[in-house]
């Protein structure tokens, strides 16, 4: 069993959620925030059987696209934290995979 | 040390919280949402010493009961995602157990 | 790679966030609640390369200070849960460290 923590941008979420629900993959949704970009994103917790991991990664790749955007980011200007506007490649998803020893339903 | 991620329904939460607090088990509470049932639930993060895991599972079993309910779920009807009403056995809890290498307090 | 789940008090958060952003450490922020103290805190999820773990712990130590405070806590008085006022040492941070098998960006 693998624990997948999937961090996605808000605008990609609904397509990904549709793919997961349609394929009966259970997930728990956390409303989160990225520190650097200082904006809301969504973190999904998915526990996947080993033989479904590649399938799930496929849904993520299909729905979470990288794009260029002008973003407000926090930066240190040598004296203090300031907000700066930058063109960044954002979107895509970040997935942390680790082992789950056991899943218990009670 | 074990990391326990415990996903419970809202209506079971207060009984479980009472049991955990009374027995001085520290937990962190996340307001979450289940994708499939499309409704709010609660995720608890608990770090437990190995010899307290069974005790904690006991509290979860005691407070989180399965029940039959008519739920609104998302389904794919071949063309699009639609909401459907279904009688489902819900409730209970799902627990993901994994190893924690280290707990640091600072 | 290490997964660090860092639970901090709200009043320590902004200093810690500044240190993380300034040093380009990516983190995801969850608004959470501690069960025992019954108040909001913040949980950060950080994936760190092994050789940056000590550095990150340094930022946490620097920003998250223990203090004495009069807190409302939940206690069991033998009959029911009641709120009690206690002087507690709170603050500081709790960090759960575990291994991440893989980080995937897509």
């Amino acid at each position: 069993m693998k624990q997948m923590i999937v961090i996605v941008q808000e605008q990609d979420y609904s397509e990904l959620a549709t793919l997961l629900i349609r394929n009966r993959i259970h997930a728990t949704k956390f409303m989160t925030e990225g520190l650097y970009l200082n904006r809301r994103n969504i973190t999904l917790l998915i526990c996947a059987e080993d033989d479904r991991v590649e399938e799930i990664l496929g849904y993520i790749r299909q729905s979470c696209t990288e794009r260029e955007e002008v973003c407000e980011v926090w930066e240190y200007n040598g004296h203090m934290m300031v907000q700066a506007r930058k063109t960044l490649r954002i979107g895509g998803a970040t997935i942390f995979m680790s082992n789950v020893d056991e899943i218990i339903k009670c």
Side-chain angles (χ1 to χ4, degrees), chain A residues 1-3 45-50 98-106:
Chain A
M1 281 299 218
K2 290 287 178 199
Q3 175 187 289
L45 173 67
I46 302 173
C47 256
E49 281 148 58
D50 290 13
S98 49
N99 273 315
V100 174
D101 296 335
E102 206 179 343
I103 296 189
I104 301 167
K105 291 195 183 265
C106 59

Side-chain angles (χ1 to χ4, degrees), chain A residues 8 10-11 17 21-22 30 33 45-46 48 51 53 55 59 64-65 68 81 84 86 95 100:
Chain A
V8 300
E10 272 193 314
Q11 58 266 63
I21 294 165
R22 191 188 297 180
F30 298 72
E33 213 173 282
L45 173 67
I46 302 173
D51 61 2
V53 168
E55 176 195 348
Y59 302 141
C64 299
T65 48
E68 278 203 348
M81 298 303 292
K86 286 210 169 177
I95 302 126
V100 174

Side-chain angles (χ1 to χ4, degrees), chain A residues 2 7 21 32 43 47 62 68 71 81-82 85 97:
Chain A
K2 290 287 178 199
I7 304 165
I21 294 165
T32 48
T43 299
C47 256
Q62 189 176 335
E68 278 203 348
C71 300
M81 298 303 292
V82 291
R85 295 175 74 79
M97 302 258 288

Side-chain angles (χ1 to χ4, degrees), chain A residues 38-93:
Chain A
N38 192 30
R39 66 171 173 186
R40 288 166 50 185
N41 50 25
I42 285 165
T43 299
L44 293 177
L45 173 67
I46 302 173
C47 256
E49 281 148 58
D50 290 13
D51 61 2
R52 295 200 76 182
V53 168
E54 267 313 310
E55 176 195 348
I56 294 169
L57 290 177
Y59 302 141
I60 297 169
R61 281 189 201 103
Q62 189 176 335
S63 50
C64 299
T65 48
E66 262 200 346
R67 56 185 81 80
E68 278 203 348
E69 249 180 71
V70 179
C71 300
E72 301 269 346
V73 298
W74 285 102
E75 287 197 324
Y76 187 64
N77 72 358
H79 300 289
M80 55 188 285
M81 298 303 292
V82 291
Q83 283 215 308
R85 295 175 74 79
K86 286 210 169 177
T87 302
L88 295 177
R89 296 202 61 78
I90 63 151

